[in-house]
Each structure stands twice: as C-alpha cells, then as structure tokens.
Amino acid sequence: MNNGLPRPVTAVVIVAAGSGERLGYGMPKARVPLGSDAILTHALRGVAAAGVARQICVALPPGDTVLQELCAAFAEELRAGHDDNQENPLPVLTTVDGGATRAASVRSALAALLDGTEAVLVHDAARALTPEYVFHRVVDSLAAGAVAVIPAVPVVDTVKMVTPTTGDDSSIAPELVTGTAPREELRSVQTPQGFRLSTLIQAHQAAADFDEKQAAAVTDDAMLVELLGVPVHAVHGSTQSLKITTPLDLIIAEGLLEGPLGIRWVEG
Ligand code: C5P
C-alpha cells in the first residue's frame, strides 16, 4: 500500500543478459520457459502489474533477437491491455545490450534512462515471480526518504565461514570451519533494489574501473552503494521472489505458477 507520500519518478531496470548456464537449458535464462511463457515475460508482467515504473529498461544479451522480439511482443500486450482512463500511464519499454558482468549490464541500462528519472529499481529477470507488494515496499521506502533500499528475508540456515583444508587435514575433509555468523543479524537479499538515480550512477562510476577479481565479487547494486558510505535500508522481501538459478528453482517456480500466482498472471 502507498504510504501517502509522493513517489519519485521511477524507472525499473531488468537485468536479463546472463547466460543462465547453471540452469542447463543451453540458452539464456531469460528465454527459458516457465509454464507457457519465458522467464523474462513473467518478470515483465510482474513489473508492469506493480505499476511503479514510468520506464522499464531491459538489458538483454547482445544480438539476442529472440529476446528483443519477446520484449516487442510484451510492449504490444501492454498496449492492448491498457485503458487510457487507468491511473498509471503506459510505461515506456526500452531494451539495451547487456555487458560481460551484471554490473556492466546495469550501467548500460542506466545510460538509457529517460530525462527526469529520479529513482531506479534494479531487478533480476531471474526473480520472475516477485510479488507486486515488494515493488511497492521498495518505492514507498524511497518516497519516505531512503536513498538506497533492498528487499530482504531472514536466513533460515545457520551460516558458517570456512577455509580449504591443507596438508594432512585435507584427507579428513575438504574444508575447516572458522566461525559462525550470528543468524539473527543475517538476511538473504533480493531484488528489486531501489536507489535515488544519482546515487546509483555514482556507485557504478566508482566500480567501472574495478579489475576482474573485484568485478566478479560484485553480486548486487547495494554493495556498490555501501562502498560509497551511503546508508542502505532493508524492507521485508518475499520467499516467492526466489532467484531461478538451478533446475530445482525452476520446479519450485512452476509449482508456484500452478497455485495462486497462476490464477493472477495466467488467467487474470
Ligand atoms: O548470474 P546471476 O544469477 O547473479 O545473475 C543475476 C541477474 O543478472 C540475472 O537476471 C541475469 O540475467 C543478469 N545478468 C546480466 N548480465 C550479465 C550477468 C547477469 O544482466 N552479464
């Protein structure tokens, strides 16, 4: 629900330029079928249904005409289902070529945002089933004054630090436990991650010169903003926002679609 505060002019960046090797389909993950549609189509529908974006900018694998056509078909689906009397205007759908890393894909999309954009939500296409209320929580937190805000859920497993074993120890087990993280302070972090646009641009400019090792260590956008020393807030995410990465995740996502989500997105 809207907290009543005026919302910033917001763009949603969907990063969909990954190879999706871990899913084992031999095609970019965004193209992999989930129910009767591609993962990216589900992600686009979720973003559009949330109604928070003036612009949706999708980073695609360079030269992927299948995904370009999928985005064009989605733009048509949006237009066909849009009523000019609706409260939210039709979002502008833009596509850009993604980069070699997730961060490079985000940078490419940031360069294509419309003038006047005040806030940006960066969302993984792989989190195709993220509920609308998560988008609203993030945007409402930005409206309330957050500069950076991420959806997060408590960690259910106990998490330990380990190091590889060496010498004689390596015949006992491959790793040695070096510590246990305090679980009540840990969160699993999801997307969409929301930022004031100027802050995210600054964070990504600072990261543009990272060497290969540093670049590989960047797994989300909030990390880069943390490096600037800017506070990052967290709102409650959803277990439904799972990141479809492995074949097991795809089975879970299919199961979710057959349940209440199927009624909302497939029939609704
Ligand atoms: O690889 P990982 O699962 O962390 O990717 C998260 C998201 O970032 C996915 O939606 C993927 O398509 C996207 N990505 C991207 N460009 C890359 C690598 C990943 O847009 N070069």
Side-chain angles (χ1 to χ4, degrees), residues 42-78:
H42 288 282
L44 283 162
R45 288 200 186 124
V47 171
V52 298
R54 177 181 66 152
Q55 179 186 8
I56 303 172
C57 183
V58 193
L60 297 176
D64 192 324
T65 51
V66 174
L67 286 176
Q68 282 163 6
E69 279 164 26
L70 183 152
C71 287
F74 180 72
E76 195 45 53
E77 175 183 318
L78 265 187

Side-chain angles (χ1 to χ4, degrees), residues 8-265:
V9 178
T10 301
V12 176
V13 164
I14 301 181
V15 280
S19 63
E21 276 162 22
R22 285 170 288 181
L23 209 48
Y25 260 74
M27 64 170 87
K29 197 196 299 184
R31 270 203 237 161
V32 169
L34 169 57
S36 50
D37 290 297
I39 285 179
L40 179 58
T41 301
H42 288 282
L44 283 162
R45 288 200 186 124
V47 171
V52 298
R54 177 181 66 152
Q55 179 186 8
I56 303 172
C57 183
V58 193
L60 297 176
D64 192 324
T65 51
V66 174
L67 286 176
Q68 282 163 6
E69 279 164 26
L70 183 152
C71 287
F74 180 72
E76 195 45 53
E77 175 183 318
L78 265 187
R79 266 192 296 277
H82 189 75
D83 171 351
D84 285 339
N85 296 322
Q86 266 170 256
E87 193 189 332
N88 294 316
L90 202 58
V92 175
L93 188 68
T94 317
T95 60
V96 294
D97 283 347
T101 61
R102 186 186 180 281
S105 295
V106 173
R107 274 193 286 277
S108 170
L110 291 179
L113 298 187
L114 298 173
D115 285 348
T117 304
E118 296 170 328
V120 59
L121 269 50
V122 183
H123 188 45
D124 287 340
R127 296 190 189 273
L129 302 183
T130 300
E132 291 151 41
Y133 60 76
V134 176
F135 289 88
H136 292 174
R137 283 177 191 156
V138 170
V139 175
D140 286 344
S141 178
L142 291 169
V147 173
V149 58
I150 58 176
V153 290
V155 170
V156 289
D157 294 319
T158 295
V159 178
K160 295 192 188 288
M161 273 85 70
V162 295
T163 186
T165 44
T166 50
D168 289 348
D169 240 15
S170 59
S171 62
I172 303 174
E175 291 176 336
L176 180 72
V177 171
T178 56
T180 305
R183 191 169 65 182
E184 64 286 359
E185 288 177 33
L186 295 178
R187 298 290 177 269
S188 277
V189 165
Q190 306 177 331
T191 68
Q193 300 192 344
F195 307 91
R196 284 271 147 198
L197 178 61
S198 53
T199 303
L200 190 61
I201 289 174
Q202 197 189 340
H204 272 280
Q205 275 168 353
D209 297 328
F210 279 5
D211 64 29
E212 210 175 311
K213 193 168 167 223
Q214 288 171 312
V218 177
T219 50
D220 77 347
D221 297 279
M223 253 178 89
L224 298 177
V225 172
E226 287 160 47
L227 291 175
L228 293 181
V230 170
V232 176
H233 288 87
V235 292
H236 194 65
S238 167
T239 48
Q240 240 172 247
S241 303
L242 80 160
K243 182 162 133 194
I244 302 168
T245 308
T246 64
L248 177 63
D249 299 327
L250 200 55
I251 291 167
I252 296 169
E254 296 271 5
L256 284 169
L257 266 188
E258 283 165 17
L261 285 181
I263 290 163
R264 196 180 69 202
W265 286 347

